[in-house]
Amino acid sequence: MEAILTGRTSLGIELGSTRIKACLIGDDPSVALAVGSHAWENEFVDRTWTYSLENVWSGLQAAYADLVAGVEQSFGVRPTTFGAIGVSAMMHGYLPFDDAGELLVPFRTWRNTTTGPASAELSELFGTNIPLRWSIAHLHQAVLDNEPHVAQIDGITTLAGYVHRRLTGRNVLGVGDASGVFPIDAGTKTYDAELLARYDDLVAEKTPAPSLAGLLPEVLVAGQAAGHLTAVGAALLDPSGELQPGAVFCPPEGDAGTGMVATCSVAPRTGNVSAGTSIFAMVVLERPLTRVHHELDLVTTPAGDPVAMVHCNNGASELAAWAALFGRFAAVSGSPIDSDAVFDVLLREALDGEPDAGGLLAYNHLAGEPIAGLEEGRPLFVRTPDSTFSLANFMRAQLYGVFGTLSLGMRVLDSEGVELDQMFAHGGMFRTAGVTQRFLAGALNAPVSVAASASEGGAWGIAVLASYVTAASAVPAGLTLDDYLRDRVFGGATFETAAPEPADVAGFSTYLDRYRDGLAVERTAVDALPLKGTTR
């Protein structure tokens, strides 16, 4: 309670795909004192996946209020200040603003796959893969399409960068988040100056906008102070007026970076898988890759070290939809159970499924999936007449489907000879012990470890990054992020590790071969079944 009253706490806020979550930690950064959350969903407006800025702020305020109520219930006090604050959000996407700070077009999220021509042209120009969802791909596509707003752009940023700027007045990004805006130079840990110049030359005759460097936020690394909570920012976050300004901020980060922190995987030869609405793997590299792969993004840790990222637009949303269907069945049958119990029952049923899911296939593609070659998605469940259609096989197929596209990308890393000492996992899928973790180990053919804090995910991770600013400033000789995590955050942590079971490895390999071949059915469905309001 004293730490809360005196502000010896760190607050982390993460805007995820389906929840905005707040997490408070104290003197012991490994322990979450309280959490708050608010559910929200993206909207598909004019064929664009987006969130309104109004919903950003109403959601942030609701999540913060929920956290404060939780603190009061548990400790009998309401916090009015914090030692440090951090903001994280979904990486990438496109938020262009004019010189008055007005958003010029609706937020284009990471889920949009309309930037193919820009991505291809920039990948060739830069000699490195530029994914469809990166901010520079969105900007360049707007240039190619001659969108009127381009001439008015004063700056672009990410969702985390936007929220951070409104709360602190500083236009900055953490290097991990910035690495999804524009390629980062591993030596300088900021935007690659040579590639910036190449881009300016490319568009010199196409747009009157100033040089690209002038449109991008400043880049900071973990441990650096990134501003302080202003009075305006405090009122934005807490309209009640109780929150006082002054707290220091860490650099705003993307959910990939906070996932690395939340799993203690920021050192070379470590990696993690984060499973939510999207699913992605982050592998910290000890040497450069030998060539460019469209399946892999080159990004960084929050400290600026190079990372190979396998990012899939589609994660657990389709699995959640099926769980909701079964939950509704339980309710109308007269035996209602809550959603956590539904997941627990269904996931445990999957343990009794055949290693290859009995010949069943599940595609979780609600949106386009570049690694799978899909510009749009159509969720599908497919079986052949000779498959074994049981609930256990169905649920195992659904879980395998979450890992399907990810595994196609991980095979590319394996072909590069990338080695891992540890692979960690986090996200709500891993709350049911012994199921999802085991199947992921089989899919990756590698041990997978889950910490007790895994389900808190990125909100806890960004709270830890906020606490690292305070800790790093107190050590004159310097304190690396990896040392801080290993010694002060995870020093006493208990990890549950699942080794790959040979039957699961062989079964998933068979499933993945069938899954890859079956993508032809997915492509046919995309062509044959247009979305509402569109024609072919």
Side-chain angles (χ1 to χ4, degrees), residues 21-204:
K21 194 170 182 180
C23 180
L24 187 68
I25 59 176
D27 295 325
D28 180 355
S30 69
V31 177
L33 300 177
V35 295
S37 68
H38 172 76
W40 72 337
E41 278 290 349
N42 54 190
E43 300 171 280
F44 195 56
V45 180
D46 296 329
R47 298 187 62 78
T48 297
W49 293 103
T50 188
Y51 298 83
S52 72
L53 296 190
E54 292 80 6
N55 287 343
V56 167
W57 291 107
S58 63
L60 281 168
Q61 291 165 3
Y64 178 79
D66 191 38
L67 174 102
V68 169
V71 171
E72 185 174 30
Q73 182 177 6
S74 298
F75 300 98
V77 296
R78 295 175 65 86
T80 59
T81 187
F82 305 99
I85 301 176
V87 176
S88 175
M90 301 165 279
M91 284 184 71
H92 319 122
Y94 183 60
L95 283 158
F97 293 89
D98 64 17
D99 57 7
E102 295 297 320
L103 185 64
L104 292 168
V105 296
F107 173 33
R108 297 171 183 175
T109 77
W110 55 271
R111 202 169 198 174
N112 292 286
T113 55
T114 57
T115 57
S119 173
E121 183 173 12
L122 294 179
S123 294
E124 182 176 355
L125 177 70
F126 296 155
T128 188
N129 183 40
I130 302 298
L132 302 181
R133 67 189 177 280
W134 277 24
S135 303
I136 185 59
H138 282 280
L139 172 63
H140 190 52
Q141 191 64 52
V143 171
L144 294 179
D145 294 341
N146 295 310
E147 292 194 38
H149 80 270
V150 171
Q152 305 173 58
I153 297 175
D154 184 64
I156 66 172
T157 190
T158 66
L159 181 56
Y162 161 71
V163 172
H164 180 96
R165 185 173 63 190
R166 291 295 305 276
L167 296 178
T168 68
R170 288 199 61 183
N171 184 28
V172 300
L173 287 179
V175 65
D177 204 15
S179 67
V181 172
F182 193 86
I184 296 295
D185 183 324
T188 63
K189 299 188 188 304
T190 188
Y191 308 115
D192 189 304
E194 180 184 346
L195 300 188
L196 285 171
R198 286 189 202 175
Y199 186 76
D200 287 343
D201 290 341
L202 175 69
V203 301

Side-chain angles (χ1 to χ4, degrees), residues 347-427:
L347 295 186
R348 294 193 186 284
E349 178 69 10
L351 293 172
D352 292 330
E354 296 173 57
D356 69 344
L360 309 182
L361 282 175
Y363 293 98
N364 64 339
H365 302 132
L366 284 159
E369 194 63 84
I371 292 177
L374 299 172
E375 292 186 5
E376 294 182 3
R378 302 292 185 270
L380 294 175
F381 171 68
V382 182
R383 65 188 181 100
T384 58
D386 60 348
S387 61
T388 306
F389 189 29
S390 66
L391 180 60
N393 281 338
F394 174 82
M395 288 310 304
R396 186 176 282 227
Q398 291 295 333
L399 284 167
Y400 279 2
V402 175
F403 303 138
T405 309
L406 180 80
S407 298
L408 295 177
M410 291 299 289
R411 282 187 172 185
V412 176
L413 272 179
D414 186 61
S415 72
E416 278 273 1
V418 174
E419 297 182 353
L420 282 168
D421 293 330
Q422 290 178 297
M423 178 62 87
F424 299 92
H426 79 120

Side-chain angles (χ1 to χ4, degrees), residues 135-484:
S135 303
I136 185 59
H138 282 280
L139 172 63
H140 190 52
Q141 191 64 52
V143 171
L144 294 179
D145 294 341
N146 295 310
E147 292 194 38
H149 80 270
V150 171
Q152 305 173 58
I153 297 175
D154 184 64
I156 66 172
T157 190
T158 66
L159 181 56
Y162 161 71
V163 172
H164 180 96
R165 185 173 63 190
R166 291 295 305 276
L167 296 178
T168 68
R170 288 199 61 183
N171 184 28
V172 300
L173 287 179
V175 65
D177 204 15
S179 67
V181 172
F182 193 86
I184 296 295
D185 183 324
T188 63
K189 299 188 188 304
T190 188
Y191 308 115
D192 189 304
E194 180 184 346
L195 300 188
L196 285 171
R198 286 189 202 175
Y199 186 76
D200 287 343
D201 290 341
L202 175 69
V203 301
E205 298 180 359
K206 297 180 181 179
T207 173
S211 68
L212 180 59
L215 302 181
L216 304 180
E218 179 187 358
V219 180
L220 300 176
V221 299
Q224 291 184 286
H228 294 80
L229 181 65
T230 65
V232 171
L236 267 176
L237 191 57
D238 179 22
S240 75
E242 292 182 336
L243 179 59
Q244 300 301 304
V248 68
F249 272 70
C250 68
E253 268 297 348
D255 49 2
T258 57
M260 285 186 277
V261 170
T263 53
C264 195
S265 49
V266 299
R269 297 177 65 92
T270 64
N272 78 89
V273 171
S274 177
T277 301
S278 63
I279 184 170
F280 51 85
M282 308 289 289
V283 177
V284 187
L285 301 174
E286 55 182 341
R287 57 175 175 78
L289 300 178
T290 60
R291 61 188 181 90
V292 177
H293 301 275
H294 82 272
E295 300 92 343
L296 305 177
D297 308 356
L298 293 181
V299 291
T300 78
T301 70
D305 296 314
V307 172
M309 181 181 192
V310 181
H311 183 280
C312 307
N313 286 344
N314 301 279
S317 294
E318 182 66 0
L319 177 68
W322 280 106
L325 186 76
F326 285 115
R328 177 58 182 164
F329 172 79
V332 299
S333 71
S335 302
I337 55 177
D338 64 39
S339 60
D340 284 346
V342 171
F343 267 104
D344 188 74
V345 169
L346 291 174
L347 295 186
R348 294 193 186 284
E349 178 69 10
L351 293 172
D352 292 330
E354 296 173 57
D356 69 344
L360 309 182
L361 282 175
Y363 293 98
N364 64 339
H365 302 132
L366 284 159
E369 194 63 84
I371 292 177
L374 299 172
E375 292 186 5
E376 294 182 3
R378 302 292 185 270
L380 294 175
F381 171 68
V382 182
R383 65 188 181 100
T384 58
D386 60 348
S387 61
T388 306
F389 189 29
S390 66
L391 180 60
N393 281 338
F394 174 82
M395 288 310 304
R396 186 176 282 227
Q398 291 295 333
L399 284 167
Y400 279 2
V402 175
F403 303 138
T405 309
L406 180 80
S407 298
L408 295 177
M410 291 299 289
R411 282 187 172 185
V412 176
L413 272 179
D414 186 61
S415 72
E416 278 273 1
V418 174
E419 297 182 353
L420 282 168
D421 293 330
Q422 290 178 297
M423 178 62 87
F424 299 92
H426 79 120
M429 284 182 65
F430 299 99
R431 285 184 294 179
T432 300
V435 182
T436 312
Q437 180 184 4
R438 169 186 152 179
F439 292 150
L440 179 59
L444 300 179
N445 192 19
V448 174
S449 299
V450 175
S453 57
S455 64
E456 301 301 342
W460 177 68
I462 191 65
V464 170
L465 280 174
S467 71
Y468 176 55
V469 173
T470 304
S473 66
V475 181
L479 176 67
T480 70
L481 178 60
D482 184 48
D483 286 343
Y484 179 67

